[in-house]
Amino acid sequence: MTTGVRRRMGVEERRQQLIGVALELFSRRSPDEVSIDEIASAAGISRPLVYHYFPGKLSLYEAALKRASDDLAARFVEPHEGPLGARLLRVMRRFFDFVDEHGPGFSALMRGGPAVGSSTTNALIDSVRQAAYVQILSHLGVTDPPARLELVVRSWISLAESTALIWLDGRRIPRAELEVQLVHDFAALTAVSAAQDAEMGALMRRIAQEEPADGPFARLAGRLPALAT
Amino acid sequence: MTTGVRRRMGVEERRQQLIGVALELFSRRSPDEVSIDEIASAAGISRPLVYHYFPGKLSLYEAALKRASDDLAARFVEPHEGPLGARLLRVMRRFFDFVDEHGPGFSALMRGGPAVGSSTTNALIDSVRQAAYVQILSHLGVTDPPARLELVVRSWISLAESTALIWLDGRRIPRAELEVQLVHDFAALTAVSAAQDAEMGALMRRIAQEEPADGPFARLAGRLPALAT
């Protein structure tokens, strides 16, 4: 389009632009504090035109959340190659990249944002948690998880969320340290469960045997005995 | 009152009765599914009279949540006597008692219940988390927690919540096992943080030195080496 006249966007193109503008604003301030006027202004269109594409702020917020959810779920995908600890560490780096990029929006959402309680919002949050859960099971090579493994994986996912939220509140600990910590936490929670249950014990030993001596799991195991002295 | 005529309750007494009736119903079915009609019927009064004491279902729900929050926070209080692991285990038992008693109401609240997003509800949830946090710091004898300790304690509280929620969904693991597991998880998450940070390492050693050989912390430490073989 080189006519010198600003071309008119198609409906879908305009919707995608508005979603992008909204996400950019939500990455800097809480969605509660961002008005439709601001979104319109940042997109270079009028407020009524925004309502033409999205009937209300909630529908724009949900569309933005859908794009962010798809983005986050895509970052969980990791090739099935190399040691598990190193794979999990790469995913944790991409998770913190996402949290870093979307700080205020992520905090507001997880702490009870403008659309919490909306079934669409809850379903999107659950779908991202489920994507993480499915990825982890596939990397563990487990198709029919026992209840204790499901508990460890799902509760660790919740631990990763709360760790990221606490990190965002002041960023007082370097994120690289927390990325490693969460990988170690996964091993530690698995070990705790394995100490009580033979099936989890067998899984734990299988994971440990495949880990190299310089991987994150092995480095944790090497450091723990020193704590007892 | 032995006059044979049912005496009329005072305003505050009636409010407390309605809160008790609502909590009892929420302990068996999700608050979403409990109608004001049912609450009125269970309390033996008319629906309009319920609205006389509470302007709407949300205000009754919030009052019920306030009583449940106070109840839960009170269960966190534990004498400062004896080994830390045993104290934490007793608190975990009372926490699971509460979760057991209030199953559907607890699940609905934590998964996004009827009043999620209400500032009153969020403030009550936060106040219970804060009560747990303050209790744990006081038992650790720490008044000015470093950022890493705050992270471990707060993220462990979130882990306890998610563990309870997953347990409620089918109760496929004996709760006594999960009570011990959460005590072990606390030690494990502290150990992971201690493996990266000297200040956390010193705290970890101080805790470990005060634990008896038959306490829950020591039993975990004794079992872990077997997992590596």
Short mmCIF file of all heavy atoms in Angstrom, two decimals, chain A residues 172-226:
data_model
loop_
_atom_site.label_atom_id
_atom_site.label_comp_id
_atom_site.label_asym_id
_atom_site.label_seq_id
_atom_site.Cartn_x
_atom_site.Cartn_y
_atom_site.Cartn_z
N ARG A 172 13.46 -8.85 44.05
CA ARG A 172 14.57 -8.76 45.00
C ARG A 172 15.55 -9.92 44.89
O ARG A 172 16.58 -9.93 45.55
CB ARG A 172 14.02 -8.65 46.44
CG ARG A 172 13.34 -7.31 46.69
CD ARG A 172 12.75 -7.24 48.09
NE ARG A 172 11.67 -8.22 48.24
CZ ARG A 172 11.29 -8.74 49.40
NH1 ARG A 172 11.93 -8.43 50.50
NH2 ARG A 172 10.30 -9.60 49.46
N ILE A 173 15.19 -10.93 44.10
CA ILE A 173 16.09 -12.07 43.91
C ILE A 173 16.34 -12.19 42.40
O ILE A 173 15.39 -12.06 41.62
CB ILE A 173 15.44 -13.37 44.44
CG1 ILE A 173 15.02 -13.18 45.91
CG2 ILE A 173 16.37 -14.56 44.29
CD1 ILE A 173 14.18 -14.32 46.46
N PRO A 174 17.60 -12.41 41.98
CA PRO A 174 17.86 -12.52 40.53
C PRO A 174 17.03 -13.65 39.92
O PRO A 174 16.95 -14.74 40.47
CB PRO A 174 19.35 -12.84 40.45
CG PRO A 174 19.92 -12.42 41.76
CD PRO A 174 18.83 -12.56 42.77
N ARG A 175 16.39 -13.37 38.78
CA ARG A 175 15.50 -14.38 38.20
C ARG A 175 16.25 -15.64 37.80
O ARG A 175 15.71 -16.74 37.87
CB ARG A 175 14.69 -13.82 37.03
CG ARG A 175 15.49 -13.23 35.89
CD ARG A 175 14.62 -12.96 34.67
NE ARG A 175 14.64 -14.13 33.80
CZ ARG A 175 14.25 -14.14 32.53
NH1 ARG A 175 13.74 -13.05 31.99
NH2 ARG A 175 14.33 -15.23 31.80
N ALA A 176 17.52 -15.50 37.40
CA ALA A 176 18.29 -16.69 36.99
C ALA A 176 18.39 -17.68 38.17
O ALA A 176 18.36 -18.90 37.99
CB ALA A 176 19.68 -16.29 36.50
N GLU A 177 18.52 -17.14 39.38
CA GLU A 177 18.60 -18.00 40.56
C GLU A 177 17.27 -18.73 40.76
O GLU A 177 17.26 -19.93 41.12
CB GLU A 177 18.90 -17.12 41.79
CG GLU A 177 19.03 -17.88 43.09
CD GLU A 177 19.37 -16.95 44.25
OE1 GLU A 177 20.09 -15.94 44.05
OE2 GLU A 177 18.90 -17.24 45.37
N LEU A 178 16.16 -18.03 40.53
CA LEU A 178 14.85 -18.67 40.72
C LEU A 178 14.54 -19.70 39.64
O LEU A 178 13.85 -20.69 39.90
CB LEU A 178 13.75 -17.60 40.78
CG LEU A 178 13.90 -16.64 41.96
CD1 LEU A 178 12.76 -15.63 41.97
CD2 LEU A 178 13.96 -17.40 43.29
N GLU A 179 15.07 -19.49 38.44
CA GLU A 179 14.87 -20.48 37.37
C GLU A 179 15.52 -21.81 37.79
O GLU A 179 14.92 -22.88 37.66
CB GLU A 179 15.47 -19.96 36.06
CG GLU A 179 14.69 -18.78 35.47
CD GLU A 179 15.49 -17.92 34.50
OE1 GLU A 179 16.58 -18.37 34.07
OE2 GLU A 179 15.04 -16.82 34.19
N VAL A 180 16.76 -21.71 38.29
CA VAL A 180 17.45 -22.92 38.77
C VAL A 180 16.71 -23.49 39.98
O VAL A 180 16.50 -24.70 40.10
CB VAL A 180 18.92 -22.61 39.13
CG1 VAL A 180 19.57 -23.82 39.79
CG2 VAL A 180 19.70 -22.19 37.89
N GLN A 181 16.30 -22.60 40.89
CA GLN A 181 15.63 -23.04 42.11
C GLN A 181 14.38 -23.86 41.79
O GLN A 181 14.14 -24.89 42.42
CB GLN A 181 15.26 -21.82 42.96
CG GLN A 181 14.55 -22.17 44.26
CD GLN A 181 14.47 -20.97 45.19
OE1 GLN A 181 15.47 -20.31 45.48
NE2 GLN A 181 13.27 -20.66 45.64
N LEU A 182 13.61 -23.42 40.79
CA LEU A 182 12.38 -24.16 40.47
C LEU A 182 12.69 -25.54 39.89
O LEU A 182 11.95 -26.50 40.14
CB LEU A 182 11.49 -23.33 39.52
CG LEU A 182 10.68 -22.25 40.25
CD1 LEU A 182 10.09 -21.24 39.27
CD2 LEU A 182 9.57 -22.89 41.09
N VAL A 183 13.77 -25.65 39.14
CA VAL A 183 14.18 -26.97 38.65
C VAL A 183 14.55 -27.86 39.85
O VAL A 183 14.14 -29.02 39.94
CB VAL A 183 15.36 -26.85 37.66
CG1 VAL A 183 15.88 -28.23 37.25
CG2 VAL A 183 14.94 -26.05 36.43
N HIS A 184 15.30 -27.28 40.78
CA HIS A 184 15.66 -28.02 41.99
C HIS A 184 14.42 -28.37 42.81
O HIS A 184 14.32 -29.47 43.37
CB HIS A 184 16.62 -27.19 42.85
CG HIS A 184 18.00 -27.09 42.28
ND1 HIS A 184 18.98 -26.30 42.82
CD2 HIS A 184 18.57 -27.69 41.20
CE1 HIS A 184 20.08 -26.41 42.11
NE2 HIS A 184 19.86 -27.25 41.11
N ASP A 185 13.48 -27.41 42.90
CA ASP A 185 12.25 -27.66 43.65
C ASP A 185 11.51 -28.87 43.08
O ASP A 185 10.95 -29.68 43.83
CB ASP A 185 11.32 -26.43 43.61
CG ASP A 185 11.81 -25.27 44.48
OD1 ASP A 185 12.68 -25.50 45.34
OD2 ASP A 185 11.33 -24.14 44.28
N PHE A 186 11.49 -28.95 41.75
CA PHE A 186 10.79 -30.09 41.14
C PHE A 186 11.42 -31.41 41.59
O PHE A 186 10.72 -32.35 41.98
CB PHE A 186 10.84 -29.98 39.60
CG PHE A 186 10.06 -31.08 38.91
CD1 PHE A 186 8.69 -30.95 38.74
CD2 PHE A 186 10.68 -32.24 38.47
CE1 PHE A 186 7.94 -31.97 38.13
CE2 PHE A 186 9.96 -33.26 37.88
CZ PHE A 186 8.59 -33.12 37.71
N ALA A 187 12.75 -31.45 41.56
CA ALA A 187 13.44 -32.66 42.01
C ALA A 187 13.18 -32.92 43.49
O ALA A 187 12.95 -34.07 43.91
CB ALA A 187 14.95 -32.52 41.75
N ALA A 188 13.17 -31.85 44.29
CA ALA A 188 13.00 -32.01 45.73
C ALA A 188 11.59 -32.50 46.07
O ALA A 188 11.42 -33.39 46.91
CB ALA A 188 13.28 -30.67 46.44
N LEU A 189 10.57 -31.95 45.42
CA LEU A 189 9.20 -32.38 45.70
C LEU A 189 9.00 -33.83 45.25
O LEU A 189 8.29 -34.60 45.90
CB LEU A 189 8.18 -31.46 45.02
CG LEU A 189 8.16 -30.00 45.49
CD1 LEU A 189 7.08 -29.21 44.74
CD2 LEU A 189 7.95 -29.88 46.99
N THR A 190 9.62 -34.18 44.13
CA THR A 190 9.55 -35.57 43.67
C THR A 190 10.24 -36.49 44.69
O THR A 190 9.72 -37.56 45.02
CB THR A 190 10.23 -35.71 42.29
OG1 THR A 190 9.62 -34.79 41.38
CG2 THR A 190 10.07 -37.13 41.73
N ALA A 191 11.39 -36.05 45.20
CA ALA A 191 12.12 -36.86 46.18
C ALA A 191 11.32 -37.05 47.46
O ALA A 191 11.30 -38.14 48.04
CB ALA A 191 13.47 -36.22 46.48
N VAL A 192 10.65 -36.00 47.90
CA VAL A 192 9.84 -36.09 49.12
C VAL A 192 8.73 -37.13 48.93
O VAL A 192 8.48 -37.97 49.81
CB VAL A 192 9.24 -34.71 49.50
CG1 VAL A 192 8.11 -34.86 50.51
CG2 VAL A 192 10.32 -33.79 50.04
N SER A 193 8.06 -37.06 47.78
CA SER A 193 7.01 -38.02 47.51
C SER A 193 7.58 -39.44 47.38
O SER A 193 7.01 -40.41 47.87
CB SER A 193 6.26 -37.62 46.24
OG SER A 193 5.19 -38.49 45.98
N ALA A 194 8.76 -39.52 46.75
CA ALA A 194 9.40 -40.82 46.55
C ALA A 194 9.82 -41.46 47.87
O ALA A 194 9.87 -42.69 47.99
CB ALA A 194 10.62 -40.66 45.64
N ALA A 195 10.10 -40.61 48.87
CA ALA A 195 10.52 -41.14 50.17
C ALA A 195 9.37 -41.88 50.86
O ALA A 195 9.58 -42.67 51.77
CB ALA A 195 11.03 -40.00 51.07
N GLN A 196 8.12 -41.62 50.42
CA GLN A 196 6.96 -42.27 51.05
C GLN A 196 6.33 -43.34 50.17
O GLN A 196 5.46 -44.06 50.63
CB GLN A 196 5.87 -41.22 51.37
CG GLN A 196 6.27 -40.21 52.42
CD GLN A 196 5.06 -39.59 53.12
OE1 GLN A 196 4.42 -40.22 53.95
NE2 GLN A 196 4.75 -38.37 52.78
N ASP A 197 6.71 -43.40 48.88
CA ASP A 197 5.97 -44.24 47.96
C ASP A 197 6.91 -44.93 46.98
O ASP A 197 7.74 -44.27 46.32
CB ASP A 197 4.96 -43.36 47.19
CG ASP A 197 4.13 -44.14 46.20
OD1 ASP A 197 3.21 -44.86 46.64
OD2 ASP A 197 4.41 -44.06 44.99
N ALA A 198 6.78 -46.26 46.87
CA ALA A 198 7.72 -47.04 46.05
C ALA A 198 7.63 -46.69 44.57
O ALA A 198 8.65 -46.61 43.87
CB ALA A 198 7.45 -48.54 46.25
N GLU A 199 6.40 -46.46 44.08
CA GLU A 199 6.23 -46.16 42.65
C GLU A 199 6.93 -44.83 42.31
O GLU A 199 7.60 -44.70 41.27
CB GLU A 199 4.72 -46.07 42.34
CG GLU A 199 4.39 -46.06 40.86
CD GLU A 199 2.88 -46.16 40.62
OE1 GLU A 199 2.10 -45.97 41.59
OE2 GLU A 199 2.48 -46.41 39.48
N MET A 200 6.76 -43.84 43.18
CA MET A 200 7.45 -42.57 42.97
C MET A 200 8.95 -42.75 43.11
O MET A 200 9.73 -42.07 42.44
CB MET A 200 6.94 -41.51 43.97
CG MET A 200 5.53 -41.02 43.70
SD MET A 200 5.34 -40.14 42.12
CE MET A 200 6.25 -38.61 42.46
N GLY A 201 9.36 -43.64 44.00
CA GLY A 201 10.79 -43.93 44.17
C GLY A 201 11.41 -44.46 42.89
O GLY A 201 12.50 -44.05 42.49
N ALA A 202 10.68 -45.36 42.23
CA ALA A 202 11.18 -45.94 40.98
C ALA A 202 11.31 -44.86 39.91
O ALA A 202 12.31 -44.82 39.16
CB ALA A 202 10.24 -47.06 40.51
N LEU A 203 10.32 -43.99 39.83
CA LEU A 203 10.37 -42.89 38.85
C LEU A 203 11.56 -41.99 39.14
O LEU A 203 12.32 -41.61 38.24
CB LEU A 203 9.06 -42.08 38.93
CG LEU A 203 9.01 -40.85 38.03
CD1 LEU A 203 8.73 -41.26 36.59
CD2 LEU A 203 7.96 -39.86 38.51
N MET A 204 11.74 -41.67 40.42
CA MET A 204 12.84 -40.80 40.85
C MET A 204 14.20 -41.38 40.44
O MET A 204 15.07 -40.66 39.93
CB MET A 204 12.76 -40.64 42.36
CG MET A 204 13.83 -39.80 43.00
SD MET A 204 13.35 -38.06 42.94
CE MET A 204 14.94 -37.29 43.26
N ARG A 205 14.38 -42.69 40.68
CA ARG A 205 15.66 -43.32 40.34
C ARG A 205 15.88 -43.31 38.83
O ARG A 205 16.98 -43.09 38.35
CB ARG A 205 15.72 -44.75 40.88
CG ARG A 205 16.13 -44.80 42.35
CD ARG A 205 16.36 -46.22 42.83
NE ARG A 205 15.11 -46.98 42.89
CZ ARG A 205 14.30 -46.98 43.95
NH1 ARG A 205 14.59 -46.27 45.02
NH2 ARG A 205 13.19 -47.67 43.93
N ARG A 206 14.80 -43.53 38.06
CA ARG A 206 14.94 -43.52 36.60
C ARG A 206 15.38 -42.13 36.12
O ARG A 206 16.26 -42.00 35.27
CB ARG A 206 13.59 -43.92 35.95
CG ARG A 206 13.63 -43.94 34.44
CD ARG A 206 12.44 -44.67 33.82
NE ARG A 206 11.14 -44.03 34.02
CZ ARG A 206 10.72 -42.94 33.36
NH1 ARG A 206 11.50 -42.36 32.47
NH2 ARG A 206 9.52 -42.45 33.58
N ILE A 207 14.76 -41.07 36.69
CA ILE A 207 15.16 -39.71 36.29
C ILE A 207 16.61 -39.47 36.67
O ILE A 207 17.41 -38.99 35.86
CB ILE A 207 14.27 -38.65 37.00
CG1 ILE A 207 12.81 -38.78 36.54
CG2 ILE A 207 14.79 -37.25 36.73
CD1 ILE A 207 11.85 -37.86 37.32
N ALA A 208 16.97 -39.83 37.91
CA ALA A 208 18.31 -39.53 38.41
C ALA A 208 19.39 -40.22 37.58
O ALA A 208 20.46 -39.66 37.33
CB ALA A 208 18.42 -39.92 39.89
N GLN A 209 19.07 -41.46 37.15
CA GLN A 209 20.08 -42.21 36.40
C GLN A 209 20.40 -41.58 35.05
O GLN A 209 21.50 -41.76 34.52
CB GLN A 209 19.60 -43.66 36.19
CG GLN A 209 19.85 -44.53 37.41
CD GLN A 209 19.01 -45.80 37.40
OE1 GLN A 209 18.35 -46.10 36.40
NE2 GLN A 209 19.02 -46.54 38.51
N GLU A 210 19.42 -40.86 34.49
CA GLU A 210 19.64 -40.27 33.17
C GLU A 210 20.28 -38.89 33.24
O GLU A 210 20.57 -38.29 32.21
CB GLU A 210 18.29 -40.18 32.41
CG GLU A 210 17.74 -41.56 32.04
CD GLU A 210 16.27 -41.52 31.58
OE1 GLU A 210 15.73 -40.40 31.44
OE2 GLU A 210 15.70 -42.59 31.37
N GLU A 211 20.49 -38.40 34.45
CA GLU A 211 21.03 -37.05 34.59
C GLU A 211 22.56 -37.07 34.56
O GLU A 211 23.18 -37.91 35.19
CB GLU A 211 20.57 -36.42 35.91
CG GLU A 211 19.12 -36.01 35.91
CD GLU A 211 18.80 -34.96 34.84
OE1 GLU A 211 19.41 -33.88 34.87
OE2 GLU A 211 17.93 -35.23 33.98
N PRO A 212 23.17 -36.11 33.84
CA PRO A 212 24.64 -36.03 33.84
C PRO A 212 25.13 -35.42 35.15
O PRO A 212 24.38 -34.75 35.86
CB PRO A 212 24.92 -35.09 32.67
CG PRO A 212 23.71 -34.23 32.57
CD PRO A 212 22.54 -35.08 33.02
N ALA A 213 26.41 -35.65 35.47
CA ALA A 213 26.97 -35.19 36.74
C ALA A 213 26.99 -33.67 36.84
O ALA A 213 27.03 -33.11 37.94
CB ALA A 213 28.39 -35.74 36.90
N ASP A 214 26.95 -32.96 35.69
CA ASP A 214 26.99 -31.50 35.75
C ASP A 214 25.61 -30.86 35.50
O ASP A 214 25.51 -29.66 35.27
CB ASP A 214 28.01 -30.95 34.73
CG ASP A 214 27.63 -31.33 33.31
OD1 ASP A 214 26.76 -32.22 33.13
OD2 ASP A 214 28.18 -30.72 32.37
N GLY A 215 24.55 -31.67 35.52
CA GLY A 215 23.20 -31.13 35.30
C GLY A 215 22.65 -30.51 36.57
O GLY A 215 23.20 -30.70 37.66
N PRO A 216 21.56 -29.75 36.45
CA PRO A 216 21.01 -29.06 37.63
C PRO A 216 20.54 -30.01 38.73
O PRO A 216 20.67 -29.71 39.91
CB PRO A 216 19.84 -28.23 37.07
CG PRO A 216 19.59 -28.70 35.68
CD PRO A 216 20.84 -29.37 35.22
N PHE A 217 20.00 -31.18 38.37
CA PHE A 217 19.54 -32.13 39.40
C PHE A 217 20.74 -32.63 40.20
O PHE A 217 20.72 -32.68 41.43
CB PHE A 217 18.81 -33.31 38.77
CG PHE A 217 17.42 -32.99 38.28
CD1 PHE A 217 16.83 -33.73 37.26
CD2 PHE A 217 16.67 -31.96 38.84
CE1 PHE A 217 15.54 -33.45 36.81
CE2 PHE A 217 15.39 -31.67 38.40
CZ PHE A 217 14.82 -32.42 37.38
N ALA A 218 21.81 -33.01 39.47
CA ALA A 218 22.98 -33.57 40.15
C ALA A 218 23.68 -32.51 41.01
O ALA A 218 24.18 -32.81 42.09
CB ALA A 218 23.96 -34.13 39.12
N ARG A 219 23.70 -31.27 40.52
CA ARG A 219 24.35 -30.21 41.31
C ARG A 219 23.63 -30.01 42.64
O ARG A 219 24.26 -29.81 43.68
CB ARG A 219 24.38 -28.89 40.52
CG ARG A 219 25.45 -28.88 39.43
CD ARG A 219 25.89 -27.44 39.07
NE ARG A 219 24.76 -26.59 38.67
CZ ARG A 219 24.28 -26.51 37.43
NH1 ARG A 219 24.83 -27.23 36.46
NH2 ARG A 219 23.28 -25.71 37.15
N LEU A 220 22.31 -30.11 42.63
CA LEU A 220 21.55 -30.00 43.88
C LEU A 220 21.92 -31.15 44.82
O LEU A 220 22.23 -30.94 45.99
CB LEU A 220 20.04 -30.03 43.61
CG LEU A 220 19.17 -30.12 44.88
CD1 LEU A 220 19.29 -28.84 45.71
CD2 LEU A 220 17.72 -30.40 44.53
N ALA A 221 21.90 -32.37 44.28
CA ALA A 221 22.20 -33.55 45.10
C ALA A 221 23.59 -33.44 45.72
O ALA A 221 23.82 -33.85 46.86
CB ALA A 221 22.08 -34.81 44.26
N GLY A 222 24.51 -32.85 44.96
CA GLY A 222 25.87 -32.70 45.46
C GLY A 222 25.97 -31.70 46.60
O GLY A 222 26.83 -31.82 47.48
N ARG A 223 25.11 -30.69 46.59
CA ARG A 223 25.21 -29.64 47.59
C ARG A 223 24.48 -29.95 48.89
O ARG A 223 24.81 -29.41 49.94
CB ARG A 223 24.64 -28.33 47.02
CG ARG A 223 25.68 -27.57 46.22
CD ARG A 223 25.14 -26.21 45.83
NE ARG A 223 25.67 -25.83 44.53
CZ ARG A 223 25.00 -25.16 43.62
NH1 ARG A 223 23.77 -24.79 43.84
NH2 ARG A 223 25.56 -24.86 42.48
N LEU A 224 23.45 -30.80 48.82
CA LEU A 224 22.61 -31.01 50.00
C LEU A 224 23.36 -31.56 51.22
O LEU A 224 23.12 -31.09 52.33
CB LEU A 224 21.42 -31.89 49.65
CG LEU A 224 20.30 -31.20 48.85
CD1 LEU A 224 19.17 -32.17 48.57
CD2 LEU A 224 19.78 -29.97 49.57
N PRO A 225 24.26 -32.55 51.03
CA PRO A 225 24.91 -33.11 52.22
C PRO A 225 25.66 -32.05 53.05
O PRO A 225 25.69 -32.13 54.28
CB PRO A 225 25.89 -34.14 51.64
CG PRO A 225 25.30 -34.51 50.32
CD PRO A 225 24.65 -33.26 49.80
N ALA A 226 26.18 -31.03 52.38
CA ALA A 226 26.95 -30.00 53.09
C ALA A 226 26.06 -29.24 54.07
O ALA A 226 26.53 -28.65 55.05
CB ALA A 226 27.57 -29.02 52.08
#
